[in-house]
Amino acid sequence: MRSVLIGNGVIIQHGGRDYLNSNIIQRALDNVRTGNFPSHLYPKECADFVIALEKEHAAALNGDYDNYVFTTYDRASLIDFKLRYDSTHKYSATEIGFEDYFLLFELTHNKLGITNPERFNSRGVLRRMFLDAVFNQGKIESVHKQFSAGFVKWLQNHKHIFTTNYDSNLDIATGLRVHHLHGSFNTLNEVYDPKSFRNQLEDDLLNGEKVDLDHLHLYSTCLVSYVGDLKSYSMRQSSLANRAMDKFVDGYQSNPDLRKQIEDWDESNNLVRRLKESIRLKAERPELEHSEQYPHEMLKTISGNLEIVGLSPNNDSHLFKKILENRNITQIVFHYLGDQEATDAKRLFSSKNLSIRDVRDFWADVNT
């Protein structure tokens, strides 16, 4: 069985420099400065915020934020962050990885003692600004027009197609089901999906917020995070919630004492009241469940040959961990860009049967 994992390098290969990190950052800033953005969905202050975070980049590299990391994944992320940048170089706003801005966001908010809901809301609008820049007024969804017939045929020869990309170019080009591990511009987040379990509750959990149909990509399932552990947690949330709800409902239906306890819960607490309503609703309508929107568990069940194209071996460790743990993957073919990626891929997949190949040779072959 053949499977393939596709990353942003494929979009850069066919869509050009528009989808490099530096141009995504610059486009985000330019969109705001020229007024070419939906100001009702994220404010112009987001651009100023990026520039403010840029100024903290050197401070984070030099250890000024070492005392403001409060979780193990933050600490690990800061160590990795320092390894990836040269502390003697002054980085411009466009030289900083856009997901690294979210680490800087957390560090500065830790230092300033800013908590939710302000922290949650600020993170959300920053996410929207960057997603809008990636979306590029929808132009990213047309990149598949540059795919060669040979590349499309090569893709179609795989049983499973996985991608970390948000766009639907692979889906359109192949006509096949593509597994979007980090979400998709074309899939509404459960928070905004009127058919979702959470939106069957009586409370309006969106507090009156209306989905703007002209900007559905900003309400999507796309995951943006500075660390794989957070992405991994987000990817597991639905399955964890479903298992927990199944246990509650099973006890509610089979154990009279537990049922009475649940019915006696104090409904003055909104969270408790909503949980009680959810249990009752699930008991009446067992088909309701939280949608599994991130098919990452499939990486643990595939078998045979896995090819990886357009991904750095230094990113997405949460996905590579699942691949490494899957003993049924008998061979990995990693297409690298540059000697350093080749070295890093050999180190990462040292426990696997690995073949490495220069991605430029790959493109030359499939495009002929």
Side-chain angles (χ1 to χ4, degrees), residues 5-9 162-167 170 179-183 223 231 309-311 316 318-319:
L5 173 57
I6 298 290
N8 189 50
F162 299 93
T163 184
T164 57
N165 298 341
Y166 309 137
D167 58 86
L170 299 173
H179 306 290
H180 289 264
L181 299 171
H182 288 166
L223 289 177
K231 285 180 179 173
V309 182
L311 276 179
D316 300 308
H318 58 298
L319 300 180

Side-chain angles (χ1 to χ4, degrees), residues 60-300:
L61 287 180
N62 292 325
D64 294 359
Y65 282 93
D66 288 2
N67 293 328
Y68 298 100
V69 286
F70 306 135
T71 65
T72 54
Y73 55 79
D74 273 355
R75 190 167 301 281
S77 297
L78 184 56
I79 291 171
D80 176 67
F81 175 87
K82 291 178 180 180
L83 291 173
R84 289 185 286 106
Y85 293 95
D86 179 359
S87 61
T88 65
H89 174 73
K90 178 174 172 51
Y91 290 86
S92 68
T94 60
E95 290 179 301
I96 301 170
F98 86 80
E99 292 191 337
D100 286 333
Y101 276 107
F102 289 88
L103 173 59
L104 294 171
F105 173 95
E106 300 300 335
L107 294 176
T108 55
H109 279 64
N110 286 350
K111 182 177 181 179
L112 297 172
I114 300 173
T115 57
N116 294 329
E118 182 180 352
R119 184 169 181 153
F120 176 84
N121 293 333
S122 295
R123 186 191 299 115
V125 293
L126 186 65
R127 169 188 175 274
R128 283 183 172 180
M129 183 185 72
F130 282 128
L131 279 182
D132 213 18
V134 174
F135 192 63
N136 197 16
Q137 298 182 314
K139 294 176 184 177
I140 194 172
E141 296 287 13
S142 298
V143 171
H144 65 92
K145 296 177 181 178
Q146 307 304 318
F147 289 179
S148 68
F151 178 50
V152 173
K153 183 177 180 180
W154 179 84
L155 287 168
Q156 291 173 330
N157 284 331
H158 292 84
K159 173 72 172 179
H160 299 294
I161 302 174
F162 299 93
T163 184
T164 57
N165 298 341
Y166 309 137
D167 58 86
S168 57
N169 288 291
L170 299 173
D171 316 59
I172 296 170
T174 64
L176 300 175
R177 182 183 181 188
V178 175
H179 306 290
H180 289 264
L181 299 171
H182 288 166
S184 166
F185 284 132
N186 288 330
T187 304
L188 273 180
N189 190 295
E190 265 204 322
V191 173
Y192 301 104
D193 184 353
K195 298 179 181 179
S196 70
F197 187 176
R198 75 185 304 281
N199 284 326
Q200 305 309 304
L201 303 180
E202 290 184 2
D203 282 0
D204 177 9
L205 301 183
L206 294 178
N207 294 317
E209 181 183 3
K210 302 299 181 184
V211 173
D212 185 338
L213 299 180
D214 292 329
H215 298 90
L216 287 178
H217 60 287
L218 299 183
Y219 302 91
S220 68
T221 55
C222 299
L223 289 177
V224 179
S225 174
Y226 61 92
V227 59
D229 285 348
L230 292 182
K231 285 180 179 173
S232 185
Y233 174 75
S234 297
M235 293 159 81
R236 297 197 316 270
Q237 274 187 312
S238 291
S239 59
L240 292 173
N242 284 329
R243 286 200 294 270
M245 186 56 60
D246 286 341
K247 290 180 180 179
F248 269 122
V249 172
D250 181 63
Y252 182 78
Q253 292 178 321
S254 63
N255 186 331
D257 291 336
L258 180 58
R259 185 186 186 104
K260 185 178 186 307
Q261 289 180 37
I262 292 173
E263 291 295 349
D264 290 342
W265 282 353
D266 182 5
E267 294 190 21
S268 63
N269 182 297
N270 286 335
L271 292 177
V272 172
R273 176 170 50 81
R274 289 168 185 162
L275 177 57
K276 183 194 289 190
E277 183 186 357
S278 296
I279 295 169
R280 288 170 171 168
L281 187 60
K282 175 72 171 177
E284 294 173 4
R285 299 172 56 188
E287 76 280 2
L288 287 176
E289 61 180 13
H290 297 283
S291 176
E292 302 278 355
Q293 297 181 314
Y294 307 103
H296 60 113
E297 289 298 317
M298 287 186 66
L299 291 175
K300 296 167 66 174

